[in-house]
Amino acid sequence: MPANQNNAARRYEKEYKGILSTVFGVRAAFAGALAQIQILDGVQENAKAFSLKTNNTPVVIGTYATGANDGGFGDGSGANSRFGNLTEIKYENTDVEYDYTLAIHEGLDRYTVNNDLAAAIADRLKLQSEAQTRQMNTKIGKFLSDAAGQTEALADFTEEKVKALFNKVSAYYINKEVTAPVAIYLRPELYNAIIDMTANTSAKGSSVSIDNNGLARYKGFALVETPAQYFPSGTIAVFSPDGIVIPFVGISTARTIEATEFDGVKLQAAAKGGTYVLDDNKKAIVKVTGTVV
C-alpha cells in the first residue's frame, strides 16, 4: 500500500484490484466453469468492457469434384473449382457489456477507529472484496442458469430419477461431441442424495466416502457441492464444461478522501462487472430445475 503523503485524496485502485483478484480466486463458486477473472483498474469506458473477434460462419463439408468437366477441365461446363463453392470467412467485433455495479462507501474516524488508519483501510478492502465475491458468485449462478442451452427437470431426489437424469445428460454431451471436462455444480440437497444412493458401492468401483461425505465423480461428471444461495430460485444444479465462462470487473475508482464531517477519511470505490460466454458454448451448459423440500 502506498505511503501516506498527507494528500487530500489517496488512490487504491491497484491494491483493490490485487485483493479482489486474490479473494475471488480462492472463494469463487462455479470455479471450474470460469476462465481467469479479468480485472482492470482505472477503466474509462462506461458500458463496454472489451471486444471479442467472433465468427458465425457455419462449417461446410463438401466433396472434391473429379468429373471430366470440373475445375475448368474438359469443356469447362462444370464447377469453377474442384474444391466446391468458396465460402468467405469473416470475423466481427462483438462488444461485451458490463451488467452490474459494485460500490464501497465507508467512513474511518481517526478518533474512534482504534487502529492504524492504513491497516484499517487494508482490512476493509479485503472484507469488501470477500463480500463482493459472494455477490459475484450469485450473479454468475444466475448467468449460468439463464445461459443454459438445455434444461432438464428433476421431479424428486429418488435414486431412480437421479440416475435417469445423469444418463440423459451424459447422452446429451456425447451427442453434442463435447470433449472438455464437465462438472456439475449442485445444491447440497442433491449432492447428498447422490452420496446416499445405494448404487454407489465399492463393488461398482465407486469411491464414495460416507465418513467424509465425499464423491468426486458420478457418470463421468465431477461433482461440486455449491452453496444453495448461489443458485437462482428453481435451479438446483448446473452442468458446465471447464473454463468457458469469462468473469470480469472494471474498477473506476478506489480512494480515500478527507472527510469534513468527522476527523478521518471516507473509503470509496466504484466498479462495474459482468460475465460472458460465447453463444456457441451455451448449448454445452445444462441446468437442472426442481424443487427442494
Side-chain angles (χ1 to χ4, degrees):
M1 191 171 295
N4 190 341
Q5 302 298 322
N6 294 320
N7 293 330
R10 294 286 316 286
R11 312 301 301 188
Y12 288 87
E13 281 93 344
K14 293 187 185 301
E15 288 79 7
Y16 181 35
K17 171 186 174 182
I19 294 172
L20 183 59
S21 177
T22 299
V23 170
F24 186 85
V26 173
R27 297 176 178 265
F30 314 102
L34 305 177
Q36 184 174 0
I37 187 170
Q38 307 296 307
I39 302 181
L40 300 176
D41 58 23
V43 296
Q44 298 178 359
E45 294 283 349
N46 64 359
K48 182 175 68 176
F50 54 87
S51 291
L52 294 175
K53 299 289 186 183
T54 58
N55 176 275
N56 295 318
T57 305
V59 175
V60 178
I61 300 176
T63 57
Y64 190 79
T66 58
N69 294 320
D70 291 324
F73 291 100
D75 61 11
S77 62
N80 290 330
S81 171
R82 283 190 165 181
F83 295 98
N85 294 330
L86 182 64
T87 301
E88 183 180 7
I89 305 301
K90 295 190 297 184
Y91 285 80
E92 297 179 352
N93 291 327
T94 300
D95 291 339
V96 180
E97 309 290 331
Y98 296 107
D99 55 29
Y100 63 86
T101 62
L102 304 170
I104 302 173
H105 192 202
E106 298 181 339
L108 296 93
D109 191 323
R110 294 181 180 89
Y111 192 79
T112 61
V113 70
N114 196 34
N115 196 2
D116 175 75
L117 200 61
I121 291 168
D123 285 345
R124 296 310 302 172
L125 287 174
K126 180 177 182 296
L127 290 171
Q128 280 285 348
S129 295
E130 292 172 356
Q132 292 180 354
T133 292
R134 288 192 291 271
Q135 183 180 347
M136 285 188 279
N137 286 342
T138 302
K139 298 285 186 183
I140 292 167
K142 184 177 186 306
F143 176 84
L144 284 167
S145 180
D146 291 344
Q150 180 76 1
T151 301
E152 299 292 343
L154 184 64
D156 55 56
F157 291 172
T158 59
E159 185 165 338
E160 178 185 4
K161 294 289 185 8
V162 172
K163 285 194 293 186
L165 168 72
F166 273 81
N167 287 340
K168 187 174 183 180
V169 176
S170 176
Y172 174 82
Y173 277 108
I174 291 171
N175 292 335
K176 289 294 183 183
E177 299 183 283
V178 176
T179 57
V182 177
I184 175 174
Y185 303 89
L186 62 173
R187 287 178 55 125
E189 297 88 350
L190 179 53
Y191 180 82
N192 284 319
I194 297 171
I195 293 291
D196 294 341
M197 286 168 55
T198 57
N200 290 325
T201 65
S202 57
K204 289 190 174 183
S206 176
S207 58
V208 64
S209 169
I210 299 300
D211 291 342
N212 297 317
N213 201 38
L215 178 63
R217 306 184 67 83
Y218 182 68
K219 296 283 186 177
F221 300 105
L223 302 182
V224 184
E225 188 177 16
T226 304
Q229 61 267 27
Y230 295 147
F231 293 93
S233 177
T235 298
I236 58 176
V238 174
F239 292 82
S240 175
D242 291 347
I244 67 170
V245 175
I246 304 173
F248 54 89
V249 175
I251 300 171
S252 299
T253 190
R255 68 186 182 187
T256 58
I257 58 173
E258 285 293 329
T260 58
E261 304 89 342
F262 56 89
D263 179 20
V265 297
K266 296 177 181 178
L267 174 60
Q268 299 173 330
K272 299 180 285 288
T275 316
Y276 181 77
V277 63
L278 287 169
D279 285 341
D280 285 348
N281 284 337
K282 291 180 179 179
K283 60 179 174 287
I285 302 173
V286 178
K287 74 174 174 182
V288 181
T289 59
T291 301
V292 177
V293 179

